[in-house]
Amino acid sequence: MGSFSLQLQRSIESHTPMPASLSHLVLIPSYNPGATVYETVKAARKYWSPVWVVVDGSTDGTVAGLQEMALADPDLKIIVLEKNQGKGAAVLHGIDMAFRQGYTHVLTMDSDGQHDASMIPVFMEQSQNKPDAMILGVPIFDASAPSVRVKGRKISNWWANFETCGGGIGDSLFGFRVYPIEPLRAIMQKQHWMRRFDFDPEAVVRLRWRGVKPVNIPAKVRYLNAEEGGVSHFNYWRDNKLLTWMYTRLFFGFLLRLPILLWRKARSK
């Protein structure tokens, strides 16, 4: 166990706060997750500091509760967008602010309680050891996972790896991951896509095109049911249509980049 892991373990056991990182932060885009967001934020803060929440035009009353939490916690920042703009837009807003304040990396996680916050230190340590890489979560599903989501992502994963010439992307859709801010921000500022459900898969493909290597780490995921406070904004037809259009336009970008991608692959062998 490294010195960072030992420091974290001692902090958790003694209930003393971890020193706030000056380079890595947890970024949680949030849109109408209901009260589950409070537990998500508490769990994230248990394992990391600082934590930022970008409230993406939520109308479920959680803004006031989150702001009240932040009043008692200087390492929790709540950023409120007046209108819903989409997950990618919320992340871009957050990384713009983070970049201006000197942060270099963000770990993104969903606000709906699906992601295992105890894995935050593992992902952050990997990122600190390999700052040029993107640290990607590979979901370990349990019985709560809808089969349509499990099976459908196989298609997305196939396309992501095809369009990167076998780029080693373990999972293209899982939103629990660490991004290096500078290349992601540069990519997003150059085009107006990647603002909604297409953000996660397009981000990893474009980052891989840019030469950012993936590090894949298994992480548990659970889908909360309605009784547990689970909320899903996934729409099968709308979001799959969006993904289809995304991979279609990426395909043409892939064809333009194919010579350099093949050259990189041959060079790495």
Side-chain angles (χ1 to χ4, degrees):
M1 184 180 288
S3 59
F4 171 80
S5 300
L6 285 171
Q7 182 184 22
L8 174 71
Q9 186 64 32
R10 289 168 182 163
S11 173
I12 294 171
E13 290 174 352
S14 63
H15 302 286
T16 57
M18 277 282 291
S21 173
L22 300 178
S23 60
H24 289 61
L25 64 85
V26 173
L27 184 65
I28 306 175
S30 180
Y31 173 65
N32 287 349
T36 304
V37 69
Y38 304 134
E39 296 305 316
T40 300
V41 172
K42 288 177 184 176
R45 280 291 293 115
K46 178 181 178 181
Y47 291 101
W48 199 257
S49 174
V51 172
W52 292 9
V53 182
V54 181
V55 182
D56 185 26
S58 290
T59 56
D60 59 357
T62 55
V63 172
L66 289 168
Q67 290 175 330
E68 186 176 349
M69 291 175 68
L71 287 174
D73 185 351
D75 289 325
L76 174 61
K77 179 192 288 287
I78 309 301
I79 304 159
V80 181
L81 306 181
E82 293 301 322
K83 295 182 179 180
N84 176 251
Q85 301 176 34
K87 179 179 181 177
V91 170
L92 178 58
H93 191 90
I95 64 174
D96 274 343
M97 291 185 64
F99 180 80
R100 289 194 294 269
Q101 293 188 31
Y103 291 96
T104 58
H105 295 76
V106 294
L107 181 148
T108 59
M109 64 184 296
D110 293 347
S111 63
D112 58 6
Q114 288 189 17
H115 299 153
D116 181 4
S118 70
M119 292 296 291
I120 291 174
V122 177
F123 278 58
M124 292 300 206
E125 188 165 28
Q126 282 288 323
S127 177
Q128 290 168 339
N129 291 335
K130 300 176 181 178
D132 294 331
M134 49 182 167
I135 314 302
L136 306 181
V138 179
I140 302 173
F141 294 109
D142 62 15
S144 68
S147 61
V148 68
R149 301 288 293 274
V150 176
K151 295 175 181 177
R153 71 194 313 115
K154 293 179 180 179
I155 299 173
S156 181
N157 292 340
W158 185 90
W159 273 107
N161 281 288
F162 174 77
E163 293 179 340
T164 56
C165 286
I169 296 167
D171 191 276
S172 61
L173 293 170
F174 197 40
F176 191 83
R177 50 179 59 159
V178 183
Y179 293 107
I181 289 176
E182 188 279 326
L184 177 61
R185 184 170 177 261
I187 287 167
M188 295 190 74
Q189 288 179 337
K190 287 182 179 179
Q191 42 87 38
H192 64 277
W193 308 111
M194 301 170 62
R195 298 304 190 263
R196 295 195 173 273
F197 187 72
D198 54 350
F199 167 71
D200 287 317
E202 187 158 356
V204 291
V205 170
R206 290 190 178 277
L207 283 169
R208 197 67 191 92
W209 285 351
R210 197 179 174 95
V212 178
K213 294 182 178 180
V215 174
N216 299 297
I217 301 178
K220 293 179 181 179
V221 58
R222 74 185 175 108
Y223 289 80
L224 280 65
N225 58 41
E227 289 73 23
E228 295 171 315
V231 177
S232 175
H233 301 294
F234 177 77
N235 180 288
Y236 183 84
W237 295 108
R238 179 199 64 201
D239 292 328
N240 278 301
K241 181 180 178 181
L242 182 63
L243 289 180
T244 299
W245 163 231
M246 178 201 71
Y247 279 120
T248 300
R249 67 174 181 269
L250 286 178
F251 178 73
F252 291 103
F254 161 70
L255 292 178
L256 291 173
R257 293 170 175 83
L258 185 56
I260 192 169
L261 292 173
L262 290 173
W263 176 79
R264 283 180 185 168
K265 188 172 183 177
R267 190 182 180 191
S268 66
K269 290 183 178 180

